[in-house]
Coordinates of all heavy atoms in Angstrom, one line a residue:
L177 N -32.0 -25.7 -8.1 CA -32.6 -25.0 -7.0 C -32.0 -25.3 -5.6 O -31.9 -24.5 -4.7 CB -34.1 -25.2 -7.0 CG -34.8 -24.8 -8.2 CD1 -36.4 -24.9 -8.1 CD2 -34.5 -23.3 -8.5
D178 N -31.5 -26.6 -5.5 CA -30.9 -27.0 -4.2 C -29.6 -26.2 -4.0 O -29.3 -25.7 -2.9 CB -30.6 -28.5 -4.1 CG -29.8 -29.0 -5.2 OD1 -29.7 -28.4 -6.3 OD2 -29.1 -30.0 -5.0
V179 N -28.9 -25.9 -5.1 CA -27.6 -25.1 -4.9 C -28.0 -23.7 -4.6 O -27.3 -23.0 -3.8 CB -26.8 -25.2 -6.2 CG1 -25.5 -24.3 -6.1 CG2 -26.4 -26.7 -6.5
C180 N -29.0 -23.2 -5.3 CA -29.5 -21.8 -5.0 C -29.8 -21.7 -3.5 O -29.4 -20.7 -2.8 CB -30.7 -21.4 -5.7 SG -30.5 -21.2 -7.5
D181 N -30.5 -22.6 -2.9 CA -31.0 -22.5 -1.6 C -29.8 -22.7 -0.6 O -29.8 -22.1 0.5 CB -32.1 -23.6 -1.3 CG -33.4 -23.2 -2.0 OD1 -33.5 -22.1 -2.5 OD2 -34.2 -24.1 -2.2
E182 N -28.8 -23.5 -0.9 CA -27.7 -23.6 -0.1 C -26.9 -22.2 -0.1 O -26.5 -21.7 1.0 CB -26.8 -24.7 -0.5 CG -27.3 -26.1 -0.2 CD -26.4 -27.2 -0.5 OE1 -25.2 -27.0 -0.3 OE2 -26.9 -28.2 -1.0
A183 N -26.6 -21.7 -1.2 CA -25.8 -20.5 -1.3 C -26.6 -19.3 -0.7 O -26.0 -18.4 -0.1 CB -25.5 -20.1 -2.8
A184 N -28.0 -19.4 -0.7 CA -28.8 -18.3 -0.2 C -28.7 -18.2 1.3 O -29.3 -17.3 1.9 CB -30.2 -18.5 -0.7
K185 N -28.1 -19.2 2.0 CA -27.9 -19.1 3.4 C -26.8 -18.1 3.8 O -26.7 -17.6 4.9 CB -27.5 -20.5 4.0 CG -28.5 -21.6 3.9 CD -27.9 -22.9 4.2 CE -28.8 -24.1 4.0 NZ -29.7 -24.4 5.1
A186 N -26.0 -17.7 2.8 CA -25.0 -16.7 3.0 C -25.6 -15.3 3.1 O -26.7 -15.0 2.7 CB -23.9 -16.7 1.9
D187 N -24.8 -14.3 3.6 CA -25.2 -13.0 3.7 C -25.0 -12.2 2.4 O -25.8 -11.3 2.1 CB -24.5 -12.3 4.9 CG -24.8 -13.0 6.2 OD1 -25.8 -12.7 6.8 OD2 -23.9 -13.8 6.6
I188 N -23.9 -12.5 1.8 CA -23.5 -11.9 0.5 C -23.1 -13.0 -0.4 O -22.4 -13.9 -0.1 CB -22.3 -10.9 0.7 CG1 -22.6 -9.8 1.7 CG2 -22.0 -10.3 -0.7 CD1 -21.5 -8.9 2.0
V189 N -23.6 -12.9 -1.7 CA -23.2 -13.8 -2.7 C -22.7 -12.9 -3.9 O -23.4 -12.0 -4.3 CB -24.2 -14.8 -3.2 CG1 -23.8 -15.6 -4.4 CG2 -24.7 -15.7 -2.0
K190 N -21.5 -13.2 -4.3 CA -20.9 -12.4 -5.4 C -20.7 -13.3 -6.6 O -20.0 -14.3 -6.4 CB -19.6 -11.8 -5.0 CG -19.0 -10.9 -6.0 CD -17.9 -10.0 -5.4 CE -17.1 -9.3 -6.4 NZ -16.2 -8.3 -5.8
I191 N -21.4 -13.0 -7.7 CA -21.2 -13.9 -8.8 C -20.5 -13.1 -9.9 O -20.5 -11.9 -9.9 CB -22.6 -14.4 -9.4 CG1 -23.6 -13.3 -9.6 CG2 -23.2 -15.4 -8.4 CD1 -24.9 -13.7 -10.2
S192 N -19.9 -13.9 -10.8 CA -19.1 -13.2 -11.9 C -19.8 -13.3 -13.2 O -20.6 -14.3 -13.4 CB -17.7 -13.9 -12.0 OG -17.9 -15.3 -12.1
L193 N -19.6 -12.3 -14.0 CA -20.2 -12.3 -15.3 C -19.3 -11.6 -16.3 O -18.9 -10.4 -16.0 CB -21.6 -11.6 -15.3 CG -22.3 -11.5 -16.7 CD1 -22.8 -12.9 -17.1 CD2 -23.4 -10.5 -16.6
S194 N -18.9 -12.2 -17.3 CA -17.9 -11.6 -18.3 C -18.3 -11.9 -19.7 O -17.5 -11.6 -20.6 CB -16.5 -12.2 -18.0 OG -16.2 -12.0 -16.7
V195 N -19.5 -12.5 -19.9 CA -19.8 -12.9 -21.3 C -21.2 -12.5 -21.6 O -22.0 -12.1 -20.7 CB -19.7 -14.5 -21.4 CG1 -18.3 -14.9 -21.1 CG2 -20.6 -15.2 -20.4
W196 N -21.6 -12.6 -22.9 CA -22.9 -12.2 -23.3 C -23.7 -13.2 -24.2 O -24.8 -13.0 -24.6 CB -22.8 -10.8 -24.0 CG -22.0 -10.8 -25.2 CD1 -22.4 -11.0 -26.5 CD2 -20.5 -10.7 -25.3 NE1 -21.3 -11.0 -27.3 CE2 -20.2 -10.8 -26.6 CE3 -19.6 -10.5 -24.3 CZ2 -18.8 -10.7 -27.0 CZ3 -18.2 -10.4 -24.7 CH2 -17.9 -10.5 -26.0
D197 N -23.0 -14.2 -24.7 CA -23.6 -15.2 -25.5 C -22.8 -16.5 -25.4 O -21.8 -16.6 -24.8 CB -23.8 -14.7 -27.0 CG -22.4 -14.4 -27.7 OD1 -21.4 -14.8 -27.1 OD2 -22.4 -13.8 -28.7
E198 N -23.3 -17.5 -26.2 CA -22.7 -18.8 -26.1 C -21.2 -18.8 -26.6 O -20.4 -19.4 -26.0 CB -23.5 -19.9 -26.9 CG -23.1 -21.3 -26.8 CD -23.2 -21.9 -25.4 OE1 -24.2 -21.5 -24.7 OE2 -22.3 -22.7 -25.0
E199 N -21.0 -18.0 -27.6 CA -19.7 -18.0 -28.2 C -18.7 -17.4 -27.2 O -17.6 -17.9 -27.0 CB -19.7 -17.2 -29.5 CG -18.4 -17.3 -30.2 CD -18.4 -16.5 -31.5 OE1 -19.5 -16.1 -32.0 OE2 -17.3 -16.2 -32.1
S200 N -19.0 -16.3 -26.6 CA -18.1 -15.6 -25.6 C -18.0 -16.5 -24.4 O -16.9 -16.6 -23.8 CB -18.6 -14.2 -25.3 OG -19.9 -14.3 -24.8
F201 N -19.1 -17.2 -24.0 CA -19.0 -18.1 -22.8 C -18.0 -19.2 -23.1 O -17.2 -19.5 -22.2 CB -20.4 -18.7 -22.7 CG -20.6 -19.6 -21.5 CD1 -20.2 -19.3 -20.2 CD2 -21.2 -20.8 -21.7 CE1 -20.4 -20.1 -19.1 CE2 -21.5 -21.7 -20.6 CZ -21.0 -21.4 -19.3
Q202 N -18.0 -19.8 -24.3 CA -17.1 -20.9 -24.6 C -15.7 -20.4 -24.7 O -14.7 -21.0 -24.2 CB -17.5 -21.6 -25.9 CG -18.8 -22.3 -25.9 CD -18.8 -23.5 -24.9 OE1 -17.8 -24.1 -24.5 NE2 -20.0 -23.8 -24.4
K203 N -15.5 -19.2 -25.2 CA -14.2 -18.6 -25.4 C -13.5 -18.1 -24.1 O -12.3 -18.3 -23.8 CB -14.3 -17.5 -26.4 CG -13.0 -16.8 -26.7 CD -13.2 -15.6 -27.7 CE -12.0 -14.7 -27.7 NZ -12.2 -13.5 -28.4
I204 N -14.4 -17.5 -23.2 CA -13.8 -16.8 -22.0 C -13.9 -17.7 -20.8 O -12.9 -17.9 -20.1 CB -14.5 -15.5 -21.8 CG1 -14.2 -14.5 -22.9 CG2 -14.1 -14.9 -20.4 CD1 -15.0 -13.3 -22.9
N205 N -15.0 -18.3 -20.5 CA -15.2 -19.1 -19.3 C -14.8 -20.6 -19.5 O -14.5 -21.3 -18.6 CB -16.6 -19.1 -18.8 CG -17.1 -17.7 -18.3 OD1 -18.1 -17.2 -18.6 ND2 -16.2 -17.1 -17.5
R206 N -14.9 -21.1 -20.8 CA -14.5 -22.5 -21.1 C -15.1 -23.4 -20.1 O -14.4 -24.1 -19.3 CB -13.0 -22.6 -21.2 CG -12.3 -21.6 -22.2 CD -10.9 -21.8 -22.5 NE -10.0 -21.6 -21.3 CZ -8.7 -21.3 -21.4 NH1 -8.1 -21.3 -22.6 NH2 -8.0 -21.1 -20.4
P207 N -16.4 -23.6 -20.2 CA -17.2 -24.4 -19.1 C -17.0 -25.9 -19.3 O -16.6 -26.4 -20.4 CB -18.6 -24.0 -19.4 CG -18.6 -23.7 -20.9 CD -17.3 -23.0 -21.2
A208 N -17.3 -26.6 -18.2 CA -17.3 -28.1 -18.2 C -18.4 -28.5 -19.1 O -19.4 -27.8 -19.3 CB -17.4 -28.6 -16.8
A209 N -18.3 -29.8 -19.5 CA -19.4 -30.4 -20.4 C -20.7 -30.3 -19.7 O -20.8 -30.5 -18.5 CB -19.0 -31.8 -20.7
G210 N -21.8 -30.0 -20.5 CA -23.1 -29.9 -19.9 C -23.6 -28.5 -19.5 O -24.7 -28.3 -19.3
L211 N -22.7 -27.6 -19.5 CA -23.0 -26.2 -19.1 C -23.2 -25.3 -20.4 O -22.4 -25.5 -21.3 CB -22.0 -25.6 -18.2 CG -21.7 -26.3 -16.9 CD1 -20.6 -25.6 -16.1 CD2 -23.0 -26.3 -16.0
S212 N -24.2 -24.5 -20.3 CA -24.4 -23.6 -21.5 C -24.7 -22.2 -21.0 O -25.0 -22.0 -19.9 CB -25.6 -24.1 -22.3 OG -26.8 -23.9 -21.6
F213 N -24.5 -21.2 -21.9 CA -24.8 -19.8 -21.6 C -26.3 -19.7 -21.2 O -26.6 -19.0 -20.2 CB -24.5 -18.9 -22.7 CG -24.8 -17.5 -22.5 CD1 -24.0 -16.8 -21.6 CD2 -25.9 -16.9 -23.1 CE1 -24.4 -15.5 -21.3 CE2 -26.2 -15.6 -22.8 CZ -25.4 -14.9 -21.9
K214 N -27.1 -20.4 -21.8 CA -28.6 -20.4 -21.5 C -28.9 -20.8 -20.1 O -29.6 -20.1 -19.4 CB -29.3 -21.3 -22.5 CG -30.8 -21.1 -22.6 CD -31.4 -21.9 -23.6 CE -32.9 -22.0 -23.4 NZ -33.5 -23.0 -24.2
T215 N -28.2 -21.9 -19.7 CA -28.5 -22.3 -18.3 C -27.8 -21.4 -17.3 O -28.4 -21.2 -16.2 CB -28.0 -23.8 -18.1 OG1 -26.6 -23.9 -18.4 CG2 -28.8 -24.8 -18.9
L216 N -26.7 -20.8 -17.6 CA -26.0 -19.9 -16.7 C -26.9 -18.7 -16.5 O -27.2 -18.3 -15.4 CB -24.7 -19.4 -17.4 CG -23.9 -18.4 -16.6 CD1 -23.2 -19.0 -15.5 CD2 -23.0 -17.6 -17.5
R217 N -27.5 -18.1 -17.6 CA -28.3 -16.9 -17.5 C -29.6 -17.2 -16.7 O -30.0 -16.4 -15.8 CB -28.6 -16.5 -18.9 CG -29.2 -15.2 -19.0 CD -29.2 -14.8 -20.5 NE -29.9 -13.6 -20.7 CZ -30.0 -13.0 -21.9 NH1 -29.4 -13.5 -23.0 NH2 -30.7 -11.9 -22.1
A218 N -30.2 -18.4 -17.0 CA -31.4 -18.7 -16.3 C -31.1 -18.9 -14.8 O -31.9 -18.5 -13.9 CB -32.0 -20.0 -16.9
G219 N -30.0 -19.6 -14.5 CA -29.6 -19.9 -13.1 C -29.4 -18.6 -12.3 O -29.8 -18.5 -11.2
E220 N -28.7 -17.7 -12.9 CA -28.5 -16.4 -12.2 C -29.8 -15.7 -11.9 O -29.9 -15.1 -10.8 CB -27.4 -15.6 -12.9 CG -26.1 -16.3 -12.9 CD -25.0 -15.6 -13.7 OE1 -25.3 -14.8 -14.6 OE2 -23.8 -15.8 -13.4
R221 N -30.7 -15.7 -12.8 CA -32.0 -15.1 -12.5 C -32.8 -15.8 -11.4 O -33.4 -15.3 -10.5 CB -32.9 -15.0 -13.8 CG -32.4 -14.0 -14.8 CD -33.4 -13.7 -15.8 NE -33.9 -14.9 -16.5 CZ -33.6 -15.2 -17.7 NH1 -32.8 -14.5 -18.5 NH2 -34.1 -16.3 -18.2
N222 N -32.7 -17.2 -11.5 CA -33.3 -18.0 -10.5 C -32.8 -17.6 -9.1 O -33.6 -17.5 -8.1 CB -32.7 -19.5 -10.6 CG -33.5 -20.4 -11.3 OD1 -34.7 -20.2 -11.5 ND2 -32.9 -21.6 -11.7
F223 N -31.5 -17.5 -9.0 CA -30.9 -17.2 -7.7 C -31.4 -15.9 -7.2 O -31.7 -15.8 -6.0 CB -29.3 -17.2 -7.8 CG -28.7 -17.1 -6.5 CD1 -28.8 -18.1 -5.5 CD2 -28.0 -15.9 -6.2 CE1 -28.3 -17.9 -4.3 CE2 -27.5 -15.8 -4.9 CZ -27.6 -16.8 -4.0
R224 N -31.4 -14.9 -8.0 CA -31.9 -13.6 -7.5 C -33.3 -13.7 -6.9 O -33.6 -13.1 -5.8 CB -31.9 -12.6 -8.6 CG -32.5 -11.3 -8.3 CD -31.7 -10.3 -7.5 NE -31.6 -10.6 -6.0 CZ -31.0 -9.9 -5.1 NH1 -30.4 -8.7 -5.5 NH2 -31.0 -10.2 -3.9

Side-chain angles (χ1 to χ4, degrees):
L177 297 185
D178 58 335
V179 177
C180 288
D181 291 343
E182 288 185 37
K185 293 170 187 274
D187 301 279
I188 301 175
V189 174
K190 182 165 173 171
I191 55 178
S192 52
L193 177 72
S194 305
V195 300
W196 60 94
D197 61 12
E198 186 65 36
E199 190 183 344
S200 57
F201 182 49
Q202 294 296 335
K203 179 180 164 192
I204 294 172
N205 294 134
R206 301 188 297 200
L211 299 176
S212 68
F213 177 70
K214 194 174 164 194
T215 55
L216 177 79
R217 193 167 170 177
E220 290 178 337
R221 286 196 308 254
N222 262 346
F223 184 67
R224 171 75 287 183

